[in-house]
Amino acid sequence: MGTLVGHVAPGFGFLLLGLWHLLNHIKLHLLHPKTYTSLPWFPTSKIRYLELFLIMLACSASIAMELFIGPAKHQPLASDGTIPSNHLHNFEHSSISLTFFLYALFALLLDKIKPQAHLGLTQFLAGTAFAQQLLLFHLHSADHMGVEGQYHMLLQLIIFVSLTTTLMGIGYPKSFMVSFVRSLSIFFQGLWLMVMGFMLWTPDFIPTGCFINLEEGHHVVRCHGDEARDRAKSLVNVQFSWYFIGVTIFAVSFYLLLAKIYPEKVEYQSLSKLEDVEEEEAIDVEAQKKSEFKDSKSFIHMGKSFAPIDMERVNQLILTGGEFESIIFLTEIKNGQ
């Protein structure tokens, strides 16, 4: 991976994967905002597991390139069977690829078996892959102090966002923003890896005061003195901030563009169903009016059965707050009749 192609090729894969997830998450949320649920991967219409197949294929190619094709002897071990220091990074990179390969493989098996927690387990597997990636880049055997180390340090920030949002997706599967940020971080990972490849292994892009030096069979950027090195690292920070702004603008613009293409689906009811509902409501209102009319008639009939003097007595008791006494009085009259 310590070459231009070694960074650009996997970076392009991450960029496409992030863009694919970003497109599908936005589309799914725009079409079904109320029932949206985050998916760890997206099937295609013709080949359901195409995404997972491509991940396994890319990881297999990466492992083969790191351990068998890239080394001069087509194997990474020394004559005594130990791992030489100049091939440590090959094992680190292949370990990352192996973890992503296992994620894709188990995601496929979980989808076929479909246990109750298959979505959460798939997110967990993706989280372990990002955790492995973050760990090995943090403890990378390559340069930590120079220009390449600064690129790797900023890459770790993006990987940390991918890891955090992936684990958050287990507890918040209906959160669109968690999926949106995760997809965008994967896209940014790929973009930054490609930038690293071009900026670290293209002589015309090397900062002033620095040069490419061959060390242990690998080309490394070195600088003439601390001032040149600090300036080069500051330029990397400025470059990262510009790409960060550019990715943010792209993400929001991409969302707005898709919002015009995929408007929210509105559920319509047929006219006959609406007429049935209105008819039922009208029947309920009519029945309620009839019930109230019967109650009023019964009250009037009860009032007619009492003498005028009795009704005056009842009204006086009600006006003076003697509801209980009026009930007793009415009962006595009824019993007397």
Side-chain angles (χ1 to χ4, degrees):
M1 195 175 183
T3 60
L4 187 149
V5 177
H7 282 78
V8 172
F12 186 67
F14 274 104
L15 186 141
L16 286 181
L17 181 65
L19 187 61
W20 169 251
H21 278 215
L22 196 64
L23 169 65
N24 283 280
H25 279 299
I26 294 175
K27 178 181 176 182
L28 184 62
H29 183 260
L30 289 173
L31 295 177
H32 310 283
K34 296 180 181 179
T35 59
Y36 168 83
T37 300
S38 174
L39 297 176
W41 60 274
F42 290 91
T44 56
S45 57
K46 294 184 178 180
I47 305 175
R48 178 175 177 81
Y49 303 110
L50 179 61
E51 177 185 331
L52 301 179
F53 287 151
L54 290 177
I55 291 175
M56 288 189 283
L57 179 63
C59 291
S60 300
S62 175
I63 294 172
M65 184 65 68
E66 291 286 347
L67 299 182
F68 305 108
I69 300 175
K73 297 180 180 180
H74 300 294
Q75 59 90 16
L77 302 177
S79 57
D80 58 353
T82 59
I83 301 175
S85 58
N86 62 326
H87 284 314
L88 284 172
H89 67 280
N90 297 96
F91 281 91
E92 293 168 351
H93 299 156
S94 60
S95 297
I96 295 172
S97 300
L98 177 61
T99 311
F100 279 101
F101 179 90
L102 293 175
Y103 151 73
L105 176 62
F106 279 106
L108 190 152
L109 293 175
L110 286 169
D111 185 71
K112 284 185 173 295
I113 301 172
K114 279 189 169 48
Q116 187 174 0
H118 71 282
L119 290 178
L121 287 172
T122 306
Q123 294 277 34
F124 166 75
L125 289 168
T128 59
F130 287 126
Q132 175 85 302
Q133 185 186 22
L134 179 62
L135 175 68
L136 291 177
F137 274 124
H138 182 70
L139 304 175
H140 206 278
S141 58
D143 178 30
H144 285 277
M145 302 300 296
V147 180
E148 184 179 352
Q150 191 69 14
Y151 276 103
H152 277 106
M153 189 272 289
L154 295 172
L155 177 63
Q156 292 173 45
L157 297 178
I158 309 174
I159 299 172
F160 179 75
V161 175
S162 300
L163 171 61
T164 304
T165 50
T166 301
L167 295 178
M168 288 178 65
I170 300 175
Y172 302 96
K174 295 185 178 298
S175 174
F176 166 71
M177 288 309 301
V178 170
S179 303
F180 182 83
V181 175
R182 180 177 68 245
S183 303
L184 192 61
S185 67
I186 296 172
F187 174 86
F188 198 6
Q189 268 196 64
L191 179 63
W192 191 242
L193 278 169
M194 294 175 68
V195 171
M196 288 176 61
F198 286 111
M199 298 303 295
L200 290 174
W201 286 278
T202 304
D204 293 339
F205 295 152
I206 301 301
T208 304
C210 300
F211 58 95
I212 298 178
N213 189 40
L214 183 62
E215 299 177 4
E216 296 182 349
H218 300 283
H219 291 92
V220 181
V221 176
R222 296 299 180 193
C223 299
H224 299 288
D226 294 340
E227 183 178 353
R229 185 190 63 191
D230 294 341
R231 175 182 175 276
K233 292 170 69 174
S234 297
L235 288 175
V236 174
N237 296 336
V238 173
Q239 185 183 37
F240 180 84
S241 68
W242 287 351
Y243 275 98
F244 182 78
I245 294 171
V247 168
T248 303
I249 295 173
F250 164 76
V252 178
S253 302
F254 192 54
Y255 179 89
L256 294 175
L257 175 64
L258 292 179
K260 293 184 177 181
I261 301 175
Y262 301 104
E264 179 183 351
K265 284 186 177 180
V266 181
E267 296 182 358
Y268 296 97
Q269 290 182 345
S270 63
L271 185 61
S272 59
K273 289 185 178 180
L274 290 175
E275 290 176 351
D276 292 341
V277 172
E278 291 177 355
E279 185 178 351
E280 290 178 359
E281 290 179 351
I283 292 172
D284 292 339
V285 171
E286 186 177 354
Q288 185 178 1
K289 288 182 177 180
K290 287 182 178 180
S291 176
E292 292 176 354
F293 181 72
K294 288 180 180 179
D295 292 341
S296 62
K297 284 181 67 177
S298 63
F299 179 78
I300 294 171
H301 177 73
M302 182 182 68
K304 288 180 178 179
S305 64
F306 300 125
I309 190 170
D310 297 334
M311 291 303 298
E312 290 180 5
R313 177 61 176 164
V314 171
N315 291 333
Q316 289 178 0
L317 289 171
I318 292 174
L319 290 173
T320 56
E323 290 86 350
F324 183 71
E325 290 83 352
S326 63
I327 294 171
I328 295 174
F329 180 72
L330 289 172
T331 305
E332 290 177 351
I333 294 174
K334 186 175 179 181
N335 293 334
Q337 290 178 352

